Amino acid sequence: MAKQKILIVDDDTNISELISLYLVKECFETKTVEDGESALLAFHSFQPDLILLDLMLPGMDGYQVCREIRRESQTPIIMLSAKGEIFDKVLGLELGADDYIVKPFDSKEMVARVKAVLRRTTQQPKPAAPPSEKVVNLPDLTVNLTNYSVTYMGKNLEMPPKELELLYFLAASPNQVFTREQLLDNIWGYEYAGDSRTVDVHIKRLREKLKDHADWRLSTVWGIGYRFEIKTSGSR
């Protein structure tokens, strides 16, 4: 079985070499680069399964590298930064990062997060009879979890896997309220090391793509969480 490949982007060679050492011990193949331009070149040539991306890079910073990669790929990205403020974490997640680790970090935690993100993003197909499709059909919206597609207002809507899974989970249980913790458990898994702000960021992205409809909407239940509201004729 081929080793999973990790691209490490950090201008501190001591940190990148230490990260590489721990990942190699866990049977990953690694490649290290020191700046944003080299990261983009290595992304295409090395074709990693996951990227560990420092934010403070010379020239092109980690935020811009993340933007460029997200324009063409959903390869998982874990951001590394000495900045631990909520604003920085939320910005990283809004740009498409899958996780955010604050420096200095424990090497065992770093490895655990790498494995957790890879588990969430690498789905192994199971040979079996074709399952019944997991589809939610609503006026002007179809969410298909079987083939990971969303049709909105008659057009195919591009959507990262976690956004689609969150949308399907909520839409498949209309009018049911879920707390942020329940959504984290069901979509990201019990091993997820992030915080509930991740849910807020993904809901924000979904609302930017799916405007309120006459028949349905993503609604906030203040102090509790979120629900996919199906409007009745009397509530329109």
Side-chain angles (χ1 to χ4, degrees):
M1 182 177 178
K3 292 182 179 180
Q4 290 179 299
K5 298 188 289 186
I6 312 295
L7 175 62
I8 304 164
V9 188
D10 199 311
D11 61 334
D12 188 325
T13 55
N14 291 326
I15 290 178
S16 59
E17 288 174 3
L18 184 63
I19 292 173
S20 177
L21 176 65
Y22 279 103
L23 291 173
V24 168
K25 284 184 178 179
E26 296 293 326
C27 297
F28 291 105
E29 180 182 349
T30 66
K31 181 177 180 63
T32 62
V33 296
E34 299 177 9
D35 58 75
E37 289 79 5
S38 299
L40 294 179
L41 291 173
F43 169 69
H44 291 102
S45 61
F46 185 56
Q47 297 186 339
D49 296 290
L50 181 143
I51 303 166
L52 285 167
L53 177 62
D54 185 34
L55 292 182
M56 305 303 291
L57 298 171
M60 182 186 295
D61 66 19
Y63 291 122
Q64 184 60 35
V65 173
C66 184
R67 285 191 194 96
E68 294 296 325
I69 290 175
R70 280 293 170 262
R71 287 175 181 170
E72 59 180 285
S73 171
Q74 293 302 318
T75 298
I77 297 173
I78 298 178
M79 287 186 168
L80 308 175
S81 178
K83 296 181 177 182
E85 290 80 4
I86 290 296
F87 170 81
D88 298 296
K89 293 181 180 180
V90 171
L91 178 57
L93 293 169
E94 285 183 334
L95 290 174
D98 296 87
D99 203 351
Y100 189 108
I101 302 178
V102 178
K103 296 179 180 179
F105 50 81
D106 180 81
S107 56
K108 291 181 179 179
E109 179 188 358
M110 180 272 300
V111 171
R113 291 201 183 199
V114 166
K115 291 181 177 179
V117 170
L118 285 170
R119 279 198 299 271
R120 296 198 305 268
T121 55
T122 356
Q123 302 283 333
Q124 294 296 331
K126 298 179 181 179
S132 58
E133 282 196 330
K134 295 182 178 180
V135 182
V136 174
N137 288 301
L138 295 165
D140 297 317
L141 178 67
T142 298
V143 187
N144 190 322
L145 192 63
T146 303
N147 62 13
Y148 275 74
S149 67
V150 177
T151 303
Y152 175 58
M153 305 298 287
K155 296 181 180 180
N156 184 56
L157 185 63
E158 293 297 326
M159 189 173 290
K162 286 301 165 193
E163 283 183 36
L164 190 149
E165 291 170 16
L166 177 59
L167 176 60
Y168 176 85
F169 182 81
L170 288 167
S173 300
N175 298 322
Q176 182 173 343
V177 179
F178 293 96
T179 66
R180 292 170 177 81
E181 289 71 25
Q182 286 175 319
L183 294 172
L184 278 175
D185 289 344
N186 282 279
I187 307 303
W188 282 266
Y190 288 98
E191 79 281 0
Y192 181 62
D195 59 37
S196 61
R197 190 65 63 92
T198 300
V199 175
D200 299 334
V201 171
H202 281 72
I203 291 289
K204 178 175 178 287
R205 290 183 197 158
L206 286 171
R207 283 175 170 159
E208 289 171 352
K209 297 172 182 177
L210 303 170
K211 306 304 179 184
D212 282 358
H213 190 275
D215 297 285
W216 49 264
R217 67 171 181 165
L218 276 170
S219 66
T220 301
V221 182
W222 297 107
I224 302 177
Y226 299 100
R227 68 180 173 186
F228 194 95
E229 182 181 346
I230 302 295
K231 302 177 186 178
T232 64
S233 57
S235 63
R236 293 179 190 174

